[in-house]
Amino acid sequence: MTPEEIISQHARTQDNLLNILHDLQNNHPEQHITREAMDLVARYLNMTKSSVYGVVDYYSMLSLKPRGKFIIRVCISPVCHIKKAGTILVYLEKELGIKSGETTPDKLFTLEVAECLGQCQEAPSMMINEKVFNNLTEERIKEIIAQYK
Ligand code: FES
């Protein structure tokens, strides 16, 4: 589907801005929002380009940079932090050979940090694309990553 087709599936109201941006990102093979797509959205919703850009820049779930097929988001909010999310992040960086914010050379994984995923009772937690994983340990992460390779 082209960006124009994705955008036109939504009613022309600024309330739909985030939904449109999410759809554009999810439909891009490199899971990000291009400048051209933002310009189309701005025109469609009668907004300035800078206000659309500002929204994309503000929300951590939206990205201006090309990313991997699987986006790993490690929660670093307080409850997960207490339950050693920092160790989980370091382990993932070592396992994938990249730092937070980077994408593996084969473009399979992008590693990011996230605010609370709403899974505090089963912390530490992470997401891979839309799927949530809780009660993480190094052994469990190794198994999960192997499933995605
Ligand atoms: S603090 Fe990590 S899921 Fe809530």
Side-chain angles (χ1 to χ4, degrees):
M1 218 184 303
T2 66
E4 289 86 349
E5 289 168 337
I6 292 165
I7 292 167
S8 66
Q9 289 181 327
H10 297 268
R12 196 182 284 255
T13 163
Q14 293 182 7
D15 292 346
N16 280 331
L17 176 60
L18 279 176
N19 290 335
I20 294 172
L21 293 172
H22 276 291
D23 278 359
L24 286 166
Q25 178 168 277
N26 292 341
N27 280 283
H28 193 286
E30 292 180 321
Q31 302 209 53
H32 76 298
I33 301 172
T34 64
R35 188 166 290 278
E36 296 74 28
M38 285 190 288
D39 291 351
L40 289 170
V41 173
R43 201 170 322 130
Y44 185 71
L45 295 180
N46 197 24
M47 297 173 71
T48 62
K49 291 177 185 177
S50 61
S51 56
V52 173
Y53 182 92
V55 168
V56 175
D57 196 41
Y58 177 78
Y59 283 98
S60 62
M61 296 288 276
L62 300 173
S63 179
L64 295 162
K65 281 194 328 195
R67 296 182 295 175
K69 182 176 180 188
F70 301 116
I71 299 166
I72 303 172
R73 296 185 176 95
V74 179
C75 175
I76 55 163
S77 286
V79 176
C80 285
H81 182 71
I82 291 166
K83 298 245 187 147
K84 309 234 183 297
T87 311
I88 299 291
L89 185 60
V90 169
Y91 178 77
L92 272 163
E93 288 180 339
K94 203 171 86 191
E95 182 77 11
L96 299 172
I98 55 173
K99 294 285 181 200
S100 174
E102 294 179 348
T103 299
T104 54
D106 62 4
K107 300 201 184 311
L108 196 57
F109 296 103
T110 294
L111 184 59
E112 296 181 348
V113 295
E115 298 303 322
C116 181
L117 301 173
Q119 306 290 317
C120 308
Q121 70 287 354
E122 297 182 82
S125 302
M126 70 176 186
M127 289 179 78
I128 299 183
N129 292 354
E130 304 302 318
K131 192 166 169 41
V132 178
F133 297 92
N134 298 318
N135 300 311
L136 296 172
T137 61
E138 289 185 1
E139 297 75 37
R140 190 158 144 64
I141 289 175
K142 200 178 182 95
E143 290 168 16
I144 294 165
I145 295 300
Q147 291 168 18
Y148 281 85
K149 280 189 173 168

